[in-house]
Coordinates of all heavy atoms in Angstrom, one line a residue:
L888 N 14.7 2.2 13.1 CA 14.5 1.2 14.0 C 14.9 1.6 15.4 O 14.1 1.4 16.4 CB 15.2 -0.1 13.6 CG 14.9 -1.4 14.4 CD1 13.6 -1.7 14.5 CD2 15.8 -2.5 13.9
P889 N 16.1 2.2 15.6 CA 16.4 2.7 17.0 C 15.4 3.7 17.6 O 15.1 3.7 18.7 CB 17.7 3.4 16.9 CG 18.3 2.9 15.5 CD 17.2 2.4 14.8
L890 N 14.8 4.6 16.6 CA 13.8 5.5 17.1 C 12.5 4.8 17.4 O 11.9 5.3 18.4 CB 13.6 6.6 16.0 CG 14.8 7.6 15.8 CD1 14.6 8.4 14.6 CD2 15.1 8.4 17.0
V891 N 12.1 3.9 16.7 CA 10.9 3.2 17.0 C 11.1 2.4 18.3 O 10.2 2.4 19.2 CB 10.5 2.0 15.9 CG1 9.5 1.1 16.4 CG2 10.1 2.9 14.7
R892 N 12.3 1.8 18.6 CA 12.5 1.1 19.9 C 12.3 2.2 21.1 O 11.8 1.9 22.0 CB 13.9 0.5 19.9 CG 13.9 -0.7 19.1 CD 15.3 -1.2 19.0 NE 15.5 -2.4 18.1 CZ 16.6 -2.8 17.7 NH1 17.8 -2.2 17.9 NH2 16.7 -3.9 17.0
L893 N 12.9 3.3 20.9 CA 12.9 4.4 21.9 C 11.4 4.8 22.1 O 10.9 4.8 23.3 CB 13.7 5.6 21.4 CG 13.4 6.9 22.2 CD1 13.9 6.8 23.7 CD2 14.2 8.0 21.5
A894 N 10.7 4.9 21.1 CA 9.3 5.4 21.2 C 8.3 4.2 21.8 O 7.5 4.6 22.6 CB 8.7 5.7 19.8
V895 N 8.6 3.0 21.4 CA 8.0 1.9 22.2 C 8.1 1.9 23.6 O 7.2 1.7 24.4 CB 8.4 0.5 21.5 CG1 7.9 -0.6 22.5 CG2 7.9 0.4 20.2
L896 N 9.4 2.2 24.1 CA 9.6 2.1 25.5 C 8.9 3.3 26.2 O 8.5 3.2 27.4 CB 11.2 2.3 25.8 CG 11.9 1.0 25.6 CD1 13.4 1.3 25.8 CD2 11.4 -0.1 26.5
V897 N 8.6 4.5 25.4 CA 8.0 5.6 26.1 C 6.5 5.4 26.1 O 5.9 5.7 27.1 CB 8.5 6.9 25.4 CG1 7.8 8.1 26.1 CG2 10.0 7.1 25.6
V898 N 6.0 5.1 24.9 CA 4.5 5.1 24.7 C 3.9 3.8 25.0 O 2.7 3.7 25.3 CB 4.1 5.5 23.4 CG1 4.4 7.0 23.1 CG2 4.5 4.7 22.3
G899 N 4.7 2.6 24.9 CA 4.1 1.4 25.2 C 3.6 0.5 24.2 O 3.3 -0.7 24.5
D900 N 3.4 0.9 23.0 CA 2.9 0.0 22.0 C 3.6 0.3 20.7 O 3.9 1.6 20.4 CB 1.4 0.0 21.8 CG 0.8 1.4 21.3 OD1 0.8 2.3 22.1 OD2 0.4 1.3 20.1
Q901 N 3.7 -0.6 19.9 CA 4.6 -0.5 18.6 C 3.8 0.4 17.6 O 4.5 1.2 16.9 CB 4.9 -1.8 18.0 CG 5.8 -1.7 16.8 CD 6.4 -3.1 16.3 OE1 6.2 -4.0 17.0 NE2 7.0 -3.0 15.1
A902 N 2.5 0.2 17.4 CA 1.9 1.0 16.4 C 1.9 2.5 16.6 O 2.2 3.2 15.6 CB 0.4 0.5 16.3
T903 N 1.7 2.8 17.8 CA 1.8 4.3 18.1 C 3.2 4.8 18.0 O 3.5 5.9 17.6 CB 1.3 4.5 19.6 OG1 -0.1 4.0 19.7 CG2 1.3 6.0 19.9
A904 N 4.1 4.0 18.5 CA 5.5 4.4 18.3 C 6.0 4.6 16.8 O 6.7 5.6 16.5 CB 6.4 3.2 19.0
E905 N 5.4 3.7 15.9 CA 5.8 3.9 14.5 C 5.2 5.2 14.0 O 5.8 5.9 13.2 CB 5.3 2.7 13.7 CG 6.2 1.5 14.0 CD 5.7 0.3 13.3 OE1 4.5 0.2 12.8 OE2 6.5 -0.8 13.3
D906 N 4.0 5.5 14.5 CA 3.4 6.8 14.0 C 4.2 7.9 14.6 O 4.4 8.9 13.9 CB 1.9 6.8 14.6 CG 1.0 5.9 13.9 OD1 1.3 5.4 12.9 OD2 -0.1 5.7 14.5
V907 N 4.6 7.8 15.7 CA 5.5 9.0 16.4 C 6.7 9.2 15.5 O 7.2 10.3 15.2 CB 5.8 8.7 17.8 CG1 6.9 9.7 18.3 CG2 4.6 8.8 18.6
V908 N 7.3 8.1 15.1 CA 8.7 8.1 14.3 C 8.4 8.7 13.0 O 9.1 9.5 12.4 CB 9.4 6.8 14.3 CG1 10.5 6.8 13.4 CG2 9.8 6.4 15.8
Q909 N 7.3 8.2 12.3 CA 6.9 8.7 11.0 C 6.6 10.2 11.1 O 7.1 11.0 10.1 CB 5.6 8.0 10.4 CG 5.2 8.4 9.2 CD 4.1 7.7 8.6 OE1 3.9 6.5 8.8 NE2 3.1 8.3 7.8
D910 N 5.9 10.7 12.1 CA 5.7 12.1 12.1 C 7.0 12.9 12.4 O 7.1 13.9 11.8 CB 4.8 12.4 13.5 CG 3.3 11.9 13.2 OD1 3.0 11.7 12.1 OD2 2.6 11.9 14.2
A911 N 7.9 12.3 13.1 CA 9.3 13.0 13.3 C 10.0 13.1 11.9 O 10.5 14.1 11.6 CB 10.1 12.2 14.3
F912 N 10.0 11.9 11.1 CA 10.6 12.1 9.8 C 9.8 13.0 8.9 O 10.5 13.7 8.0 CB 10.7 10.7 9.1 CG 11.8 9.9 9.6 CD1 11.8 8.9 10.5 CD2 13.1 10.2 9.0 CE1 12.9 8.2 11.0 CE2 14.3 9.4 9.5 CZ 14.1 8.5 10.3
A913 N 8.6 13.1 9.0 CA 7.8 14.0 8.2 C 8.2 15.4 8.5 O 8.3 16.4 7.7 CB 6.3 13.8 8.4
E914 N 8.4 15.7 9.8 CA 8.8 17.0 10.3 C 10.2 17.4 9.8 O 10.5 18.5 9.4 CB 8.7 17.2 11.8 CG 8.9 18.6 12.3 CD 7.9 19.5 11.9 OE1 6.7 19.0 11.7 OE2 8.2 20.7 11.8
V915 N 11.1 16.4 9.6 CA 12.4 16.6 9.1 C 12.3 17.0 7.6 O 13.0 17.9 7.2 CB 13.3 15.4 9.3 CG1 14.6 15.5 8.5 CG2 13.8 15.3 10.8
C916 N 11.4 16.4 7.0 CA 11.2 16.7 5.5 C 10.7 18.2 5.4 O 11.2 18.9 4.5 CB 10.3 15.8 4.9 SG 10.9 14.1 4.6
R917 N 9.8 18.6 6.3 CA 9.2 19.9 6.2 C 10.4 20.9 6.6 O 10.4 22.0 6.0 CB 8.2 20.0 7.2 CG 6.8 19.6 6.8 CD 5.7 19.9 7.8 NE 4.7 18.8 7.6 CZ 4.4 17.9 8.6 NH1 5.2 18.0 9.6 NH2 3.6 17.0 8.3
R918 N 11.2 20.6 7.5 CA 12.2 21.6 8.0 C 13.6 21.3 7.4 O 14.5 21.8 8.0 CB 12.3 21.6 9.6 CG 10.9 21.9 10.2 CD 11.1 21.9 11.7 NE 12.3 22.4 12.2 CZ 12.6 23.6 12.6 NH1 11.7 24.5 12.6 NH2 13.8 24.0 13.0
W919 N 13.7 20.6 6.3 CA 14.9 20.3 5.8 C 15.9 21.5 5.6 O 17.1 21.4 6.0 CB 14.8 19.6 4.5 CG 16.2 19.0 4.0 CD1 16.9 19.5 3.0 CD2 16.8 18.0 4.5 NE1 18.0 18.8 2.9 CE2 18.0 17.9 3.8 CE3 16.7 16.9 5.5 CZ2 19.1 16.8 4.0 CZ3 17.7 16.0 5.9 CH2 18.8 15.9 5.1
R920 N 15.5 22.6 5.1 CA 16.3 23.6 4.8 C 16.9 24.3 6.1 O 18.0 24.8 6.2 CB 15.5 24.7 3.9 CG 15.3 24.2 2.7 CD 14.6 25.2 1.8 NE 13.9 24.7 0.6 CZ 14.4 24.5 -0.5 NH1 15.6 24.8 -0.8 NH2 13.7 24.0 -1.4
A921 N 16.0 24.3 7.1 CA 16.5 24.8 8.5 C 17.6 23.8 9.1 O 18.3 24.2 10.1 CB 15.3 25.0 9.4
L922 N 17.5 22.6 8.8 CA 18.5 21.6 9.3 C 19.6 21.2 8.3 O 19.9 20.0 8.2 CB 17.6 20.3 9.6 CG 16.6 20.4 10.7 CD1 15.8 19.2 10.6 CD2 17.1 20.8 12.0
D923 N 20.1 22.3 7.7 CA 21.1 21.9 6.6 C 22.4 21.4 7.1 O 23.2 20.9 6.4 CB 21.3 23.2 5.7 CG 21.7 24.4 6.4 OD1 21.9 24.3 7.7 OD2 21.9 25.4 5.8
D924 N 22.7 21.7 8.4 CA 23.9 21.1 9.0 C 23.6 19.6 9.2 O 22.7 19.3 10.1 CB 24.1 21.9 10.3 CG 25.3 21.3 11.1 OD1 26.1 20.7 10.5 OD2 25.5 21.6 12.3
G925 N 24.4 18.8 8.7 CA 24.1 17.4 8.8 C 24.2 16.8 10.1 O 23.7 15.8 10.5
T926 N 24.9 17.5 11.0 CA 25.0 16.9 12.4 C 23.8 17.3 13.3 O 23.7 16.6 14.4 CB 26.3 17.6 13.1 OG1 26.2 19.0 13.2 CG2 27.6 17.3 12.5
S927 N 23.0 18.1 12.9 CA 21.8 18.5 13.8 C 20.6 17.6 13.3 O 19.6 17.7 14.1 CB 21.5 19.9 13.5 OG 21.1 20.2 12.3
V928 N 20.6 16.8 12.4 CA 19.4 16.1 12.0 C 19.2 15.0 13.0 O 17.9 14.9 13.3 CB 19.6 15.6 10.5 CG1 18.3 14.8 10.2 CG2 19.6 16.8 9.5
V929 N 20.1 14.1 13.3 CA 19.8 13.0 14.2 C 19.3 13.5 15.5 O 18.4 12.9 16.1 CB 21.0 12.0 14.3 CG1 20.8 10.9 15.4 CG2 21.2 11.4 12.9
P930 N 20.1 14.4 16.2 CA 19.5 14.9 17.5 C 18.1 15.5 17.3 O 17.3 15.4 18.3 CB 20.6 16.0 17.9 CG 21.7 15.6 17.2 CD 21.4 15.0 15.9
Y931 N 17.8 16.1 16.2 CA 16.5 16.7 16.0 C 15.5 15.5 15.9 O 14.4 15.8 16.5 CB 16.5 17.6 14.7 CG 15.2 18.2 14.4 CD1 14.8 19.4 15.0 CD2 14.3 17.5 13.6 CE1 13.5 19.9 14.7 CE2 13.0 18.0 13.3 CZ 12.6 19.3 13.9 OH 11.3 19.7 13.6
L932 N 15.8 14.5 15.2 CA 14.9 13.4 15.1 C 14.6 12.8 16.5 O 13.5 12.5 16.9 CB 15.5 12.3 14.2 CG 15.3 12.5 12.7 CD1 16.1 11.5 11.9 CD2 13.8 12.3 12.4
R933 N 15.6 12.6 17.3 CA 15.5 12.0 18.6 C 14.6 13.0 19.5 O 13.7 12.5 20.2 CB 16.7 11.8 19.3 CG 17.6 10.7 18.9 CD 18.8 10.4 19.8 NE 19.8 9.8 19.1 CZ 21.0 10.2 18.8 NH1 21.3 11.4 19.3 NH2 21.9 9.5 18.2
R934 N 14.9 14.3 19.4 CA 14.0 15.2 20.2 C 12.6 15.2 19.7 O 11.6 15.2 20.5 CB 14.7 16.6 20.1 CG 13.9 17.6 21.0 CD 14.6 18.8 21.1 NE 14.4 19.3 22.5 CZ 15.5 19.8 23.1 NH1 16.6 20.1 22.6 NH2 15.3 20.3 24.4
A935 N 12.4 15.1 18.4 CA 11.0 15.1 17.9 C 10.3 13.8 18.3 O 9.1 13.8 18.6 CB 11.1 15.2 16.4
V936 N 11.0 12.7 18.3 CA 10.4 11.4 18.8 C 10.0 11.5 20.3 O 8.9 11.1 20.6 CB 11.3 10.2 18.5 CG1 10.8 9.0 19.3 CG2 11.4 10.0 17.0
V937 N 10.9 12.0 21.1 CA 10.7 12.2 22.5 C 9.4 13.1 22.7 O 8.6 12.8 23.5 CB 11.9 12.6 23.3 CG1 11.5 13.0 24.7 CG2 12.9 11.5 23.4
N938 N 9.4 14.2 22.1 CA 8.4 15.1 22.3 C 7.1 14.7 21.7 O 6.0 14.8 22.2 CB 8.7 16.5 21.5 CG 9.8 17.3 22.2 OD1 10.1 17.1 23.4 ND2 10.5 18.2 21.5
G939 N 7.1 13.9 20.6 CA 5.9 13.2 20.0 C 5.4 12.2 21.0 O 4.1 12.1 21.1
A940 N 6.3 11.5 21.6 CA 5.8 10.5 22.6 C 5.2 11.1 23.8 O 4.2 10.6 24.3 CB 7.0 9.6 23.0
R941 N 5.8 12.2 24.3 CA 5.2 13.0 25.3 C 3.7 13.5 25.0 O 2.8 13.4 25.8 CB 6.0 14.2 25.7 CG 7.2 13.8 26.4 CD 8.1 15.1 26.7 NE 9.4 14.8 27.3 CZ 10.4 15.6 27.3 NH1 10.3 16.9 26.8 NH2 11.5 15.3 27.8
S942 N 3.6 14.0 23.7 CA 2.3 14.4 23.3 C 1.2 13.2 23.3 O 0.1 13.5 23.8 CB 2.3 15.0 22.0 OG 3.1 16.2 22.0
V943 N 1.7 12.1 22.8 CA 0.8 11.0 22.9 C 0.4 10.5 24.3 O -0.8 10.3 24.6 CB 1.5 9.7 22.3 CG1 0.7 8.4 22.5 CG2 1.6 10.0 20.7
L944 N 1.4 10.6 25.2 CA 1.0 10.3 26.7 C 0.1 11.3 27.3 O -0.8 11.0 28.0 CB 2.3 10.2 27.5 CG 3.2 9.0 27.1 CD1 4.6 9.1 27.9 CD2 2.6 7.7 27.4
R945 N 0.3 12.7 26.8 CA -0.7 13.7 27.3 C -2.1 13.4 26.9 O -3.0 13.6 27.5 CB -0.2 15.1 26.9 CG 0.8 15.7 27.9 CD 1.1 17.1 27.6 NE 1.6 17.4 26.2 CZ 2.8 17.4 25.9 NH1 3.7 17.2 26.7 NH2 3.2 17.6 24.6
R946 N -2.2 13.1 25.6 CA -3.4 12.9 24.9 C -4.2 11.7 25.6 O -5.3 11.7 25.9 CB -3.4 12.7 23.5 CG -3.1 14.0 22.7 CD -3.3 13.8 21.2 NE -2.3 12.9 20.6 CZ -1.2 13.3 20.2 NH1 -0.7 14.4 20.3 NH2 -0.4 12.4 19.6
R947 N -3.4 10.6 25.9 CA -3.8 9.4 26.5 C -4.4 9.7 28.0 O -5.5 9.3 28.3 CB -2.8 8.4 26.7 CG -2.6 7.6 25.4 CD -1.6 6.4 25.7 NE -1.3 5.8 24.5 CZ -0.3 4.9 24.3 NH1 0.4 4.7 25.5 NH2 0.0 4.4 23.3
R948 N -3.6 10.6 28.7 CA -4.0 11.0 30.0 C -5.3 11.7 30.0 O -6.1 11.4 30.8 CB -2.8 11.8 30.7 CG -3.0 11.9 32.1 CD -1.7 12.4 32.8 NE -0.9 13.4 32.1 CZ 0.3 13.1 31.5 NH1 0.9 12.0 31.7 NH2 1.0 14.1 30.8
V949 N -5.5 12.7 29.1 CA -6.7 13.3 29.0 C -7.8 12.5 28.6 O -8.9 12.5 29.3 CB -6.5 14.6 28.0 CG1 -7.9 15.2 27.6 CG2 -5.5 15.6 28.5
A950 N -7.6 11.6 27.6 CA -8.7 10.7 27.2 C -9.0 9.7 28.3 O -10.3 9.4 28.5 CB -8.2 9.8 26.0
N951 N -8.1 9.3 29.1 CA -8.4 8.3 30.2 C -9.2 9.0 31.3 O -9.9 8.4 32.1 CB -7.1 7.7 30.7 CG -6.6 6.7 29.9 OD1 -7.3 6.1 29.0 ND2 -5.3 6.4 29.9
A952 N -8.9 10.3 31.5 CA -9.6 11.1 32.5 C -11.0 11.2 32.2 O -11.9 11.3 33.1 CB -9.0 12.4 32.7
F953 N -11.5 11.2 31.0 CA -12.9 11.3 30.6 C -13.5 10.0 30.1 O -14.6 10.0 29.8 CB -13.0 12.4 29.5 CG -12.6 13.7 29.9 CD1 -11.4 14.3 29.6 CD2 -13.5 14.5 30.8 CE1 -11.0 15.6 29.9 CE2 -13.1 15.7 31.2 CZ -11.9 16.3 30.8
R954 N -12.8 8.9 30.3 CA -13.3 7.6 29.9 C -14.1 7.1 31.1 O -13.5 6.7 32.1 CB -12.2 6.7 29.5 CG -12.7 5.4 29.0 CD -11.6 4.5 28.6 NE -11.0 5.1 27.4 CZ -9.7 4.9 27.1 NH1 -8.9 4.2 27.8 NH2 -9.1 5.5 26.1
P955 N -15.4 6.8 31.1 CA -16.2 6.4 32.1 C -15.7 4.9 32.6 O -15.7 4.6 33.8 CB -17.6 6.4 31.7 CG -17.7 6.4 30.2 CD -16.2 7.0 29.9
D956 N -15.6 4.1 31.6 CA -15.2 2.7 32.0 C -13.7 2.4 31.7 O -13.3 2.3 30.5 CB -16.0 1.7 31.2 CG -15.8 0.2 31.5 OD1 -15.4 0.0 32.7 OD2 -16.0 -0.6 30.6
R957 N -12.9 2.4 32.7 CA -11.5 2.2 32.5 C -11.1 0.9 32.2 O -11.2 0.1 33.2 CB -10.7 2.8 33.7 CG -10.9 4.4 33.8 CD -10.1 4.8 34.9 NE -10.2 6.3 34.9 CZ -9.4 7.2 34.9 NH1 -8.1 6.9 34.9 NH2 -9.7 8.4 35.0
Q958 N -10.7 0.6 31.0 CA -10.2 -0.8 30.7 C -8.8 -0.8 30.5 O -8.3 0.0 29.9 CB -10.9 -1.2 29.4 CG -12.5 -1.3 29.5 CD -13.1 -1.7 28.2 OE1 -12.4 -1.8 27.1 NE2 -14.4 -1.9 28.2
H959 N -8.2 -1.8 31.0 CA -6.8 -1.9 30.9 C -6.4 -2.4 29.5 O -7.1 -3.3 29.0 CB -6.2 -2.9 32.0 CG -6.3 -2.2 33.3 ND1 -5.6 -1.1 33.7 CD2 -7.1 -2.5 34.4 CE1 -5.8 -0.8 35.0 NE2 -6.9 -1.6 35.5
H960 N -5.3 -2.0 29.0 CA -4.8 -2.5 27.7 C -4.5 -3.9 27.8 O -3.7 -4.4 28.7 CB -3.6 -1.7 27.2 CG -3.1 -2.1 25.9 ND1 -3.8 -2.0 24.8 CD2 -1.8 -2.8 25.7 CE1 -3.0 -2.5 23.8 NE2 -1.8 -3.0 24.3
V961 N -4.9 -4.8 26.9 CA -4.7 -6.1 26.8 C -3.8 -6.4 25.5 O -4.1 -5.9 24.5 CB -6.0 -7.0 26.6 CG1 -5.6 -8.4 26.5 CG2 -6.9 -6.7 27.8
H962 N -2.7 -7.0 25.8 CA -1.7 -7.2 24.7 C -2.3 -8.3 23.8 O -2.9 -9.3 24.3 CB -0.3 -7.7 25.3 CG 0.4 -6.6 26.0 ND1 1.0 -5.6 25.3 CD2 0.6 -6.4 27.3 CE1 1.6 -4.7 26.2 NE2 1.3 -5.2 27.5
S963 N -1.9 -8.1 22.5 CA -2.4 -9.2 21.6 C -1.7 -10.5 21.8 O -0.6 -10.5 22.4 CB -2.2 -8.7 20.1 OG -0.8 -8.6 19.9

Side-chain angles (χ1 to χ4, degrees):
L888 188 57
L890 291 171
V891 168
R892 288 177 181 158
L893 167 64
V895 164
L896 287 174
V897 177
V898 298
D900 68 284
Q901 184 171 351
T903 305
E905 288 175 350
D906 288 343
V907 166
V908 171
Q909 179 175 325
D910 291 344
F912 275 101
E914 190 61 31
V915 164
C916 288
R917 281 187 208 105
R918 296 183 39 96
W919 184 255
R920 294 184 201 267
L922 299 170
D923 59 359
D924 176 17
T926 61
S927 65
V928 176
V929 174
Y931 179 85
L932 276 169
R933 282 191 205 115
R934 184 171 221 139
V936 167
V937 169
N938 289 341
R941 287 178 185 163
S942 295
V943 165
L944 294 177
R945 275 192 300 272
R946 285 191 297 274
R947 280 185 188 169
R948 197 168 31 249
V949 169
N951 288 339
F953 294 104
R954 184 177 297 148
D956 181 28
R957 295 185 183 231
Q958 297 176 352
H959 294 288
H960 175 68
V961 178
H962 291 285
S963 69

